[in-house]
Amino acid sequence: MPQTAEVSAATYQERIAKLQEAMKEFGLQAVVLEPGPAMQYLTGVRWGKSERTFAVVLPAKGGPIWVLPGFEEMRARELIRPGDDIRIWQEDESPYQRIVQGLKDRGVGVPPGPGRVGIDESARFFVFDGIRKLAPKLDYVGAQQVLKAAGVDTTQPPGRGRGGRN
């Protein structure tokens, strides 16, 4: 009988929970991911990067916040397993405003929290810069260590190893 590479929604929830525990250890209130190995391993969503921002905010408390272009909503909803907080942005709107609002809605930067946000190393500078300009009081750090502590291998390209469909 052939083996399937399908991963259950419960497994993705467990992976996110493990990341959330690691975030507490590292003093992070959230991690922001763009498409890549970490997003695929933690959520099962495999998405290509384009000039239009597609991201997921994984807060230390609460479910994922997805930020994506409006014209991709139907296709994205078919792929998104963990989380139902999907924030759409249109061509005349800022995806970074949606990300920052998601951070605020999950209490990131609200005392007594440290306001520290991990940014995945696969995130492009213009995405980080867009977020930083709208939320300059947050402390941004690389997410590599917290992702590694949670068992995410960000060195593997999507489709291989831990960043693939396992």
Side-chain angles (χ1 to χ4, degrees):
M1 176 172 231
Q3 291 185 335
T4 178
E6 277 302 305
V7 177
S8 71
T11 298
Y12 291 118
Q13 291 290 358
E14 290 169 10
R15 291 175 180 180
I16 291 170
K18 188 173 180 181
L19 174 65
Q20 289 173 321
E21 286 300 314
M23 280 191 257
K24 291 174 188 171
E25 291 175 32
F26 283 82
L28 297 178
Q29 288 186 304
V31 170
V32 177
L33 305 175
E34 269 207 287
M39 180 185 284
Q40 190 171 346
Y41 177 76
L42 290 165
T43 70
V45 174
R46 182 180 202 155
W47 199 269
K49 288 183 185 173
S50 77
E51 69 279 1
R52 293 177 177 90
T53 299
F54 182 103
V56 64
V57 176
L58 298 172
K61 295 179 183 175
I65 301 164
W66 294 90
V67 177
L68 51 114
F71 74 94
E72 296 282 20
E73 180 179 7
M74 288 179 56
R75 184 175 140 221
R77 284 187 185 274
E78 292 175 5
L79 299 174
I80 293 172
R81 298 179 196 182
D84 57 5
D85 187 345
I86 298 173
R87 300 177 187 212
I88 304 306
W89 60 274
Q90 301 301 331
E91 293 294 319
D92 61 340
E93 299 173 325
S94 167
Y96 317 116
Q97 183 59 46
R98 299 286 190 276
I99 292 169
V100 169
Q101 187 60 52
L103 291 167
K104 288 179 183 175
D105 291 348
R106 293 295 194 272
V108 175
V110 177
R116 292 185 74 210
V117 177
I119 304 291
D120 182 18
E121 70 175 14
S122 72
R124 295 163 294 176
F125 179 77
F126 72 85
V127 173
F128 159 70
D129 194 46
I131 298 166
R132 181 180 53 91
K133 285 178 179 174
L134 293 173
K137 293 184 179 180
L138 295 177
D139 181 23
Y140 300 95
V141 298
Q144 184 72 10
Q145 288 183 320
V146 72
L147 290 169
K148 185 176 179 181
V152 181
D153 182 357
T154 59
T155 63
Q156 293 295 320
R160 300 198 192 265
R162 301 204 54 186
R165 299 184 64 89
N166 55 347

